[in-house]
Amino acid sequence: MCSRMVNIGILVSGRGSNMEAIIKKIEEGYIRNARVAVVISSRRDAPALEKARAHGIEALFIDPKEFWKEPNPERREELRLEYDKRIIAELEKRNVDLVLLAGYMLKLSPYFVRRYKDRIMNIHPSLLPAFPGLNAQKQALEYGVKYTGCTVHFVDENVDHGPIILQAVVPVYDDDTAEELSQRILEKEHEIYPEAVRLYIEGKLRIEGRRVKIKD
Ligand code: GAR
């Protein structure tokens, strides 16, 4: 069990409901010895920014200047790295120990992943390795699976790929719309993401290759 305070940095791009679920579990004392030191958004208009501030948390927009539109792949990766270094500088200023991606829609550079090796988590709305990438809920509906869910995993250099910490399963109904299915999955996201953070902070996660062992 860690007894010192763990500083968390949360990266967001949109609504911020997972971010808020984690903040609430800290406020309620379910996650102890942790504080959200900063929230950083890749989008100026992300509702997550105001939500974080409403909880008294510092929230910054760092402008990516649409670097992904750069046509030259090498230059694009340089711009990604520059952007990630600006984020890392803010995280370092606040001694962030653990980085949480919560609806953060940009791929991290290998530099970022190495800098916070085994200290970055992500949530994805499918049972990985099924349906990585965008619109995972729609992908699940179109594929015709009977069950889908969500996954919290450590982040490695590939998108939606690193070692899996927790998953939750939800049924898919015949008449589901993508919105209904997304909502059913989201309720589970709000349970397993704070739980994964708690397990990490209590020192209960051990990564062995692709497997994450959970100490009880
Ligand atoms: C969540 O459903 C999350 O799983 C998904 O974005 C949504 C963000 O919602 N993330 C991904 O698809 C990452 N590949 P939120 O901003 O309300 O937490």
PDB file of all heavy atoms in Angstrom, residues 95-107:
ATOM      1  N   ASN A  95       4.455  17.245 -10.431  1.00  0.00           N
ATOM      2  CA  ASN A  95       4.911  15.939  -9.914  1.00  0.00           C
ATOM      3  C   ASN A  95       3.899  14.821 -10.114  1.00  0.00           C
ATOM      4  O   ASN A  95       3.608  14.051  -9.191  1.00  0.00           O
ATOM      5  CB  ASN A  95       5.248  16.035  -8.419  1.00  0.00           C
ATOM      6  CG  ASN A  95       6.408  16.960  -8.185  1.00  0.00           C
ATOM      7  OD1 ASN A  95       7.400  16.907  -8.912  1.00  0.00           O
ATOM      8  ND2 ASN A  95       6.285  17.827  -7.198  1.00  0.00           N
ATOM      9  N   VAL A  96       3.348  14.761 -11.315  1.00  0.00           N
ATOM     10  CA  VAL A  96       2.342  13.728 -11.579  1.00  0.00           C
ATOM     11  C   VAL A  96       3.013  12.353 -11.631  1.00  0.00           C
ATOM     12  O   VAL A  96       4.054  12.168 -12.259  1.00  0.00           O
ATOM     13  CB  VAL A  96       1.588  14.033 -12.898  1.00  0.00           C
ATOM     14  CG1 VAL A  96       0.841  12.824 -13.417  1.00  0.00           C
ATOM     15  CG2 VAL A  96       0.627  15.205 -12.672  1.00  0.00           C
ATOM     16  N   ASP A  97       2.385  11.397 -10.916  1.00  0.00           N
ATOM     17  CA  ASP A  97       2.897  10.025 -10.858  1.00  0.00           C
ATOM     18  C   ASP A  97       2.130   9.101 -11.796  1.00  0.00           C
ATOM     19  O   ASP A  97       2.657   8.114 -12.295  1.00  0.00           O
ATOM     20  CB  ASP A  97       2.702   9.444  -9.440  1.00  0.00           C
ATOM     21  CG  ASP A  97       3.257  10.341  -8.368  1.00  0.00           C
ATOM     22  OD1 ASP A  97       4.482  10.421  -8.270  1.00  0.00           O
ATOM     23  OD2 ASP A  97       2.458  10.968  -7.633  1.00  0.00           O
ATOM     24  N   LEU A  98       0.836   9.384 -11.965  1.00  0.00           N
ATOM     25  CA  LEU A  98      -0.047   8.486 -12.714  1.00  0.00           C
ATOM     26  C   LEU A  98      -0.848   9.315 -13.708  1.00  0.00           C
ATOM     27  O   LEU A  98      -1.439  10.337 -13.328  1.00  0.00           O
ATOM     28  CB  LEU A  98      -1.009   7.788 -11.731  1.00  0.00           C
ATOM     29  CG  LEU A  98      -2.098   6.904 -12.339  1.00  0.00           C
ATOM     30  CD1 LEU A  98      -1.476   5.683 -13.039  1.00  0.00           C
ATOM     31  CD2 LEU A  98      -3.073   6.442 -11.256  1.00  0.00           C
ATOM     32  N   VAL A  99      -0.844   8.874 -14.975  1.00  0.00           N
ATOM     33  CA  VAL A  99      -1.558   9.598 -16.032  1.00  0.00           C
ATOM     34  C   VAL A  99      -2.764   8.767 -16.459  1.00  0.00           C
ATOM     35  O   VAL A  99      -2.621   7.575 -16.765  1.00  0.00           O
ATOM     36  CB  VAL A  99      -0.634   9.839 -17.259  1.00  0.00           C
ATOM     37  CG1 VAL A  99      -1.398  10.568 -18.365  1.00  0.00           C
ATOM     38  CG2 VAL A  99       0.607  10.622 -16.850  1.00  0.00           C
ATOM     39  N   LEU A 100      -3.933   9.390 -16.464  1.00  0.00           N
ATOM     40  CA  LEU A 100      -5.157   8.691 -16.876  1.00  0.00           C
ATOM     41  C   LEU A 100      -5.686   9.313 -18.157  1.00  0.00           C
ATOM     42  O   LEU A 100      -5.901  10.523 -18.212  1.00  0.00           O
ATOM     43  CB  LEU A 100      -6.229   8.808 -15.788  1.00  0.00           C
ATOM     44  CG  LEU A 100      -5.828   8.311 -14.404  1.00  0.00           C
ATOM     45  CD1 LEU A 100      -6.971   8.554 -13.419  1.00  0.00           C
ATOM     46  CD2 LEU A 100      -5.456   6.824 -14.443  1.00  0.00           C
ATOM     47  N   LEU A 101      -5.879   8.482 -19.171  1.00  0.00           N
ATOM     48  CA  LEU A 101      -6.533   8.949 -20.388  1.00  0.00           C
ATOM     49  C   LEU A 101      -8.026   8.687 -20.202  1.00  0.00           C
ATOM     50  O   LEU A 101      -8.437   7.551 -19.938  1.00  0.00           O
ATOM     51  CB  LEU A 101      -6.014   8.196 -21.615  1.00  0.00           C
ATOM     52  CG  LEU A 101      -4.490   8.101 -21.782  1.00  0.00           C
ATOM     53  CD1 LEU A 101      -4.148   7.441 -23.129  1.00  0.00           C
ATOM     54  CD2 LEU A 101      -3.826   9.467 -21.673  1.00  0.00           C
ATOM     55  N   ALA A 102      -8.813   9.728 -20.323  1.00  0.00           N
ATOM     56  CA  ALA A 102     -10.256   9.582 -20.088  1.00  0.00           C
ATOM     57  C   ALA A 102     -10.990  10.249 -21.246  1.00  0.00           C
ATOM     58  O   ALA A 102     -11.297  11.438 -21.198  1.00  0.00           O
ATOM     59  CB  ALA A 102     -10.635  10.203 -18.747  1.00  0.00           C
ATOM     60  N   GLY A 103     -11.179   9.465 -22.308  1.00  0.00           N
ATOM     61  CA  GLY A 103     -11.774  10.040 -23.510  1.00  0.00           C
ATOM     62  C   GLY A 103     -10.795  10.974 -24.205  1.00  0.00           C
ATOM     63  O   GLY A 103     -11.191  11.939 -24.851  1.00  0.00           O
ATOM     64  N   TYR A 104      -9.502  10.667 -24.067  1.00  0.00           N
ATOM     65  CA  TYR A 104      -8.449  11.466 -24.728  1.00  0.00           C
ATOM     66  C   TYR A 104      -8.248  10.876 -26.112  1.00  0.00           C
ATOM     67  O   TYR A 104      -7.901   9.701 -26.245  1.00  0.00           O
ATOM     68  CB  TYR A 104      -7.162  11.397 -23.911  1.00  0.00           C
ATOM     69  CG  TYR A 104      -6.043  12.249 -24.465  1.00  0.00           C
ATOM     70  CD1 TYR A 104      -6.141  13.634 -24.477  1.00  0.00           C
ATOM     71  CD2 TYR A 104      -4.879  11.661 -24.953  1.00  0.00           C
ATOM     72  CE1 TYR A 104      -5.105  14.411 -24.967  1.00  0.00           C
ATOM     73  CE2 TYR A 104      -3.834  12.432 -25.439  1.00  0.00           C
ATOM     74  CZ  TYR A 104      -3.962  13.812 -25.440  1.00  0.00           C
ATOM     75  OH  TYR A 104      -2.930  14.583 -25.925  1.00  0.00           O
ATOM     76  N   MET A 105      -8.488  11.664 -27.135  1.00  0.00           N
ATOM     77  CA  MET A 105      -8.600  11.101 -28.465  1.00  0.00           C
ATOM     78  C   MET A 105      -7.328  11.196 -29.306  1.00  0.00           C
ATOM     79  O   MET A 105      -7.348  10.862 -30.486  1.00  0.00           O
ATOM     80  CB  MET A 105      -9.803  11.707 -29.204  1.00  0.00           C
ATOM     81  CG  MET A 105     -11.123  11.217 -28.608  1.00  0.00           C
ATOM     82  SD  MET A 105     -11.073   9.439 -28.190  1.00  0.00           S
ATOM     83  CE  MET A 105     -12.783   8.976 -28.261  1.00  0.00           C
ATOM     84  N   LEU A 106      -6.202  11.609 -28.733  1.00  0.00           N
ATOM     85  CA  LEU A 106      -4.957  11.638 -29.497  1.00  0.00           C
ATOM     86  C   LEU A 106      -4.062  10.473 -29.076  1.00  0.00           C
ATOM     87  O   LEU A 106      -4.016  10.115 -27.908  1.00  0.00           O
ATOM     88  CB  LEU A 106      -4.213  12.958 -29.272  1.00  0.00           C
ATOM     89  CG  LEU A 106      -4.972  14.219 -29.679  1.00  0.00           C
ATOM     90  CD1 LEU A 106      -4.107  15.447 -29.405  1.00  0.00           C
ATOM     91  CD2 LEU A 106      -5.352  14.156 -31.148  1.00  0.00           C
ATOM     92  N   LYS A 107      -3.366   9.926 -30.059  1.00  0.00           N
ATOM     93  CA  LYS A 107      -2.401   8.862 -29.771  1.00  0.00           C
ATOM     94  C   LYS A 107      -1.172   9.490 -29.103  1.00  0.00           C
ATOM     95  O   LYS A 107      -0.734  10.564 -29.525  1.00  0.00           O
ATOM     96  CB  LYS A 107      -2.017   8.219 -31.105  1.00  0.00           C
ATOM     97  CG  LYS A 107      -1.059   7.066 -31.015  1.00  0.00           C
ATOM     98  CD  LYS A 107      -0.843   6.499 -32.427  1.00  0.00           C
ATOM     99  CE  LYS A 107       0.049   5.283 -32.413  1.00  0.00           C
ATOM    100  NZ  LYS A 107       1.460   5.582 -32.203  1.00  0.00           N
TER     101      LYS A 107
END
